[in-house]
């Protein structure tokens, strides 16, 4: 309540404030603060590499913030220091930051931003980025921009709306002190050579790592926050769905969880990931986190193979930017055929085993 | 405990939309508006809390144009005890001279002329919901994880930030006992699931798998039509039009790039050959 009342009470000063902020922004060096996502073993998330690639479209220096605790956060900070374009890494290590809780991570990110005054705060549009960054924006009283696919300039961004059926170009009416944005990872390809040159152990020159001032960490213990209880994160050994080069997706027509083994075999042969339509997830054939679509993951692999998927608009929203789309379906009217580069009208229980054998032959020849 | 549920009205999820020729927004191919599917799930969860005796009252709230009241009636028919409508239209800002250079209306979600559009953006909605949560003394605010028109996925997180309350987004399971001080929430995260325990009051946003919303029966709808919907103007909540005015102007809405027409292949052999020789992906 209090911030709201304060906001409304202060609105008379708004015009003067925004003028001041405007000139301050122009006078100040533009810079971007990147929120780094990392796993429990300290590996920087592939989606953060894409966000770093997106940051190149903004002027000024790129600084990264790594939040966590223990050895993992130190490893992640070292890895972040080798991300292409990063000029400095802020290391925030505290027990309250151990798990990526929005309450503590957003508090720290906003207080560091209030101190460093970046022109942009950026993260990848992952479950974690979308959880934390809008809260940061609220703490900084600014409207965030989600799932950006193109950066036009400092204040202008393109983002999908209506399940990717339209692209909206939005622009801040008054340049804010700080713009909070999340970027769609598949829209900003990582420069593999630059990433490799900066990868740990290959001799890239890392950026300096500096601990965040301790006075920013001190209040975190008293932030009313959720308590992290447990996680059930599956490890398949396959590439991560959001960044895989090949994705094999199954729909309800697979009829059972056991039949998904076929798709796993095909995906493994191609070095790809397995995904699913909402229908397959709802039917219990695979876990929720494999869902591709508007409400699941957005993928844009080199090769997408949709098996027994009709192609509802909510699913198409998650895969239609794939480079090559293959559809295998016995319904000649299935909407997925309208976006497929190669459509095979066939019984999947016959076609998929044939495809597995054919791919095996191709791989043997290579 | 009082539970507040935020409701948005959007173009029905099954209705195809297309970009308007003037690029000012999208238009629906059928005039069908419905409750945002994720809001429906949030409301269903609140009503179930009431049925289990955990929630004392369920208050459905909506911020936007007059026609959002129709969706609040659906909420009453689904089991909400009360409905509160905060009327906000593009004219609200135009009258206050706060619409900025864009000529008013429109936002991250689309153009001024699309029938479903709310002129609001998530920061404005979050400010209104924060004021309402304070006025009502809510112990829990439930929202959908995103609206299927603007696809922002921001309002719940921003509301929690403004209130200084804990948040659990993308919830697929909510465990909350009567009189309990904490809610246990299972969240859908990349790679699997995560379980959080939240001290109340808190903000929770619903994912698709939280529940299956009930159908509204005709008698329930008829009863809902007779019930009053409270109008709570911005001023009554201590807010001014400038507090909820959109910060983002919508410059253009464009069609996604069309894909080149594909071909049908005769069999697996031809598929593999073309993937190797034409697409070069094998």
């Amino acid at each position: 309540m209090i911030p709201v009342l304060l906001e409304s009470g202060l609105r008379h000063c708004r015009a003067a404030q925004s003028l001041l902020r405007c000139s301050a922004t122009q006078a100040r060096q533009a810079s971007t603060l990147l929120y780094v996502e990392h796993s429990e073993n300290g590996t920087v998330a592939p989606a953060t590499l894409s966000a770093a690639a997106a940051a190149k479209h903004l002027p000024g220096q790129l600084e990264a913030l790594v939040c966590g605790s223990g050895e993992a956060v130190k490893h992640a900070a070292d890895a972040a220091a080798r991300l292409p374009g990063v000029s400095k890494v802020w290391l925030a290590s505290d027990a309250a930051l151990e798990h990526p809780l929005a309450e503590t991570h957003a508090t720290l990110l906003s207080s560091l931003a209030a101190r460093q005054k970046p022109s942009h705060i950026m993260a990848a549009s992952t479950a974690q980025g979308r959880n934390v960054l809008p809260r940061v924006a609220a703490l900084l009283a600014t409207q965030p921009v989600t799932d950006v696919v193109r950066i036009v300039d400092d204040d202008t961004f393109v983002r999908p709306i209506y399940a990717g059926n339209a692209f909206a170009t939005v622009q801040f009416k008054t340049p804010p002190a700080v713009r909070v944005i999340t970027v769609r990872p598949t829209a900003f390809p990582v420069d593999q050579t630059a990433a490799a040159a900066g990868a740990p152990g290959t001799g890239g020159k890392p950026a300096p790592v500096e601990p965040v001032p301790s006075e920013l960490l001190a209040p975190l213990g008293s932030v009313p926050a959720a308590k992290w209880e447990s996680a059930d994160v599956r490890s398949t050994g396959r590439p991560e769905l959001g960044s895989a080069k090949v994705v094999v997706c199954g729909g309800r027509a697979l009829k059972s969880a056991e039949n998904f083994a076929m798709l796993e075999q095909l995906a493994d042969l191609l070095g790809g990931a397995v995904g699913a339509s909402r229908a397959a997830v709802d039917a219990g054939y695979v876990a929720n986190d494999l869902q591709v679509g508007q409400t699941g993951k957005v993928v844009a692999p080199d090769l997408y193979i949709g098996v027994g998927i009709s192609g509802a608009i909510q699913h198409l929203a998650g895969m239609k930017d794939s480079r090559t789309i293959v559809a295998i379906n016995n319904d000649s009217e299935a909407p997925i055929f309208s976006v497929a580069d190669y459509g095979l009208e066939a019984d999947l229980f016959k076609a998929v085993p044939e495809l597995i054998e054919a791919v095996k032959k191709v791989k043997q020849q290579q | 405990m009082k539970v507040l549920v935020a409701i948005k009205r959007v173009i029905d999820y099954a209705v195809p939309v297309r970009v308007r020729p003037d690029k000012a927004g999208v238009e629906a191919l059928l005039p069908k508006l419905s409750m945002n599917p994720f809001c429906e799930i949030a409301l269903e969860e609140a009503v179930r809390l009431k049925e289990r005796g955990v929630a004392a009252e369920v208050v459905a709230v909506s911020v936007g144009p007059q026609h959002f009241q129709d969706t609040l009636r659906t909420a009453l028919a689904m089991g909400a005890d009360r409905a509160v409508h905060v009327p906000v239209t593009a004219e609200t800002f135009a009258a206050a001279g706060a619409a900025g250079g864009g000529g008013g209306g429109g936002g991250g979600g689309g153009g001024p002329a699309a029938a479903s559009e709310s002129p609001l953006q998530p920061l404005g909605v979050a400010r209104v919901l924060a004021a309402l949560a304070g006025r009502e003394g809510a112990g829990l605010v439930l929202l959908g994880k995103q609206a299927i028109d603007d696809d922002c996925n921001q309002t719940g997180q921003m509301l929690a930030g403004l209130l200084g309350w804990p948040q659990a987004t993308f919830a697929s399971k909510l465990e909350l006992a009567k009189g309990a001080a904490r809610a246990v929430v299972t969240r859908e995260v990349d790679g699997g699931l995560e379980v959080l325990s939240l001290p109340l009051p808190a903000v929770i946003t619903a994912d698709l798998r939280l529940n299956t919303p009930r159908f509204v029966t005709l008698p329930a709808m008829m009863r809902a039509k007779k019930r009053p919907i409270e109008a709570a103007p911005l001023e009554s909540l201590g807010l001014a039009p400038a507090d909820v005015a959109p910060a983002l102007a919508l410059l253009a809405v464009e069609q996604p790039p069309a894909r080149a027409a594909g071909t049908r292949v005769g069999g697996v052999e031809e598929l593999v050959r073309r993937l190797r020789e034409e697409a070069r992906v094998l």
Side-chain angles (χ1 to χ4, degrees):
Chain A
M1 260 323 265
I2 290 163
V4 176
L5 293 176
L6 274 179
E7 283 293 336
S8 65
L10 286 171
R11 70 179 188 274
H12 303 294
C13 319
R14 278 272 167 79
Q17 272 181 344
S18 64
L19 277 176
L20 276 173
R21 283 189 310 190
C22 245
S23 56
T25 310
Q26 276 153 11
R28 199 169 56 230
Q29 192 80 36
S31 67
T32 301
L33 183 58
L34 173 70
Y35 174 63
V36 175
E37 191 174 329
H38 61 89
S39 66
E40 277 179 9
N41 61 16
T43 311
V44 172
T48 296
L49 303 184
S50 298
K56 291 196 187 115
H57 299 281
L58 291 168
Q61 293 211 313
L62 175 62
E63 299 187 354
L65 170 64
V66 186
C67 300
S69 72
E71 286 303 307
V73 70
K74 284 182 203 150
H75 288 308
D78 287 341
R82 294 168 191 273
L83 287 178
V86 168
S87 62
K88 182 180 187 172
V89 173
W90 293 98
L91 169 62
S93 181
D94 191 275
L97 299 170
E98 182 184 353
H99 301 290
L101 295 171
E103 298 86 350
T104 52
H105 280 223
T107 301
L108 179 70
L109 194 46
S110 60
S111 61
L112 182 65
R115 189 176 176 278
Q116 294 303 112
K117 302 194 171 18
S119 54
H120 295 79
I121 299 175
M122 184 192 271
S125 194
T126 55
Q128 187 175 334
R130 286 180 288 138
N131 188 37
V132 174
L133 259 69
R135 189 173 177 113
V136 171
L139 296 176
L140 298 169
T142 181
Q143 171 62 46
V145 186
T146 307
D147 223 12
V148 168
V149 295
R150 194 156 69 86
I151 295 168
V152 180
D153 64 37
D154 273 19
D155 287 308
T156 316
F157 309 94
V158 179
R159 58 181 303 272
I161 56 174
Y162 290 93
N165 283 302
F167 285 88
T169 305
V170 295
Q171 183 178 53
F172 283 101
K173 293 180 177 181
T174 306
V178 58
R179 300 120 185 110
V180 177
I181 66 173
T182 63
V183 296
R184 178 175 280 198
T186 55
F188 297 95
V190 178
D191 179 350
Q192 295 297 341
T193 47
T202 55
K205 198 175 169 206
V209 176
E210 187 178 322
V212 302
S214 54
E215 67 263 27
L216 300 188
L217 297 177
L220 295 180
S222 53
V223 172
K227 185 170 163 283
W228 190 89
E229 298 284 353
S230 64
D232 176 12
V233 174
R234 299 160 339 99
S235 172
T236 59
R238 294 194 185 88
E240 205 262 322
L241 185 55
S243 55
K245 295 271 170 225
V246 177
V247 172
V248 181
C249 256
R252 204 201 311 258
L254 270 117
K255 293 198 178 118
S256 75
E258 291 70 37
N259 288 334
F260 257 83
M262 259 189 332
L263 302 194
E264 287 168 7
Q265 199 186 342
L266 181 59
D268 289 344
L269 275 171
L270 296 167
V274 173
S277 69
R278 185 187 166 193
V281 173
D282 283 351
Y285 303 163
V286 291
N288 304 341
D289 58 301
L290 294 190
Q291 186 180 326
V292 168
Q294 183 186 20
T295 59
K297 286 251 171 50
V298 176
V299 301
D302 290 342
L303 174 61
Y304 164 98
I305 303 177
V307 179
I309 284 180
S310 64
I313 53 171
Q314 290 84 0
H315 183 76
L316 299 185
M319 48 61 78
K320 66 184 175 191
D321 291 330
S322 305
R323 195 151 70 82
T324 300
I325 297 175
V326 173
I328 301 175
N329 204 305
N330 61 5
D331 174 8
S332 64
E333 302 293 314
I336 195 161
F337 283 126
S338 69
V339 300
D341 300 287
Y342 302 104
L344 175 59
E345 199 186 316
D347 177 7
L348 71 93
F349 293 104
K350 191 167 164 288
V352 174
E354 274 179 35
L355 185 56
I356 289 171
E357 290 311 313
V359 172
K360 269 186 192 161
K361 265 187 211 151
V362 169
K363 295 286 165 188
Q364 277 163 7
Q365 284 164 15
Q366 279 169 358
Chain B
M1 181 181 65
K2 201 184 277 192
V3 180
L4 214 61
V5 186
I7 306 287
K8 187 178 185 184
R9 194 177 206 216
V10 297
I11 294 174
D12 188 88
Y13 76 96
V15 173
V17 297
R18 67 170 168 227
V19 171
R20 281 169 34 183
D22 63 0
K23 294 187 175 185
V26 300
E27 57 193 0
L29 299 185
L30 290 168
K32 189 178 180 201
L33 295 160
S34 306
M35 190 185 296
N36 177 46
F38 293 100
C39 301
E40 234 180 332
I41 294 167
L43 179 61
E44 173 67 31
E45 197 67 17
V47 172
R48 289 184 189 187
L49 286 175
K50 172 128 195 276
E51 288 167 348
R52 295 211 317 266
V54 178
E57 191 181 26
V58 175
V59 185
V61 302
S62 201
V63 194
Q66 200 61 27
H67 66 81
F68 276 32
Q69 288 202 4
D70 293 357
T71 305
L72 283 174
R73 291 213 184 276
T74 309
L76 289 170
M78 275 180 71
D81 295 293
R82 273 196 298 129
V84 180
H85 176 233
V86 182
V88 177
T89 61
E91 290 73 46
T92 310
F93 314 121
S116 81
E117 298 302 341
S118 158
L120 288 151
Q121 285 165 0
L123 178 60
V125 177
R127 282 178 171 153
V128 173
L129 294 176
L132 278 169
R135 187 191 84 169
E136 297 284 339
L140 181 64
V141 184
L142 281 164
L143 304 90
K145 75 161 179 176
Q146 74 188 64
I148 60 163
D149 52 0
D150 62 24
D151 282 336
C152 275
N153 195 330
Q154 298 168 346
T155 308
Q157 297 89 310
M158 299 188 78
L159 171 63
L162 292 177
L163 292 167
W165 291 2
Q167 71 187 53
T169 49
F170 325 141
S172 59
K173 192 176 173 194
L174 167 61
E175 296 161 86
L176 180 56
K178 189 178 181 180
R182 300 182 83 91
V184 177
V185 179
T186 304
R187 301 181 58 225
E188 300 211 353
V189 295
D190 295 337
L193 300 169
E194 175 182 273
V195 181
L196 301 177
S197 122
L198 288 88
L200 300 177
V203 175
I204 297 173
T205 73
D207 213 318
L208 272 177
R209 269 162 286 275
L210 185 59
N211 59 50
T212 306
R214 68 195 65 193
F215 287 106
V216 173
T217 62
L218 188 60
M221 200 63 212
M222 297 309 286
R223 281 195 298 277
K225 278 196 195 302
K226 296 195 186 100
R227 290 165 62 188
I229 291 173
E230 182 200 344
L234 287 175
E235 307 76 59
S236 74
L237 300 170
L239 294 165
D243 295 316
V244 296
L248 293 165
L250 185 71
L251 299 189
V253 175
E254 272 153 301
Q255 201 87 42
R259 289 189 75 95
T263 51
R264 301 276 173 120
V265 293
V268 168
E269 200 178 317
E270 186 191 346
L271 174 63
V272 170
R273 184 174 55 78
R274 296 181 76 158
L275 286 177
R276 289 190 71 187
E277 292 168 9
E278 282 176 13
R280 299 178 182 283
V281 286
L282 271 187

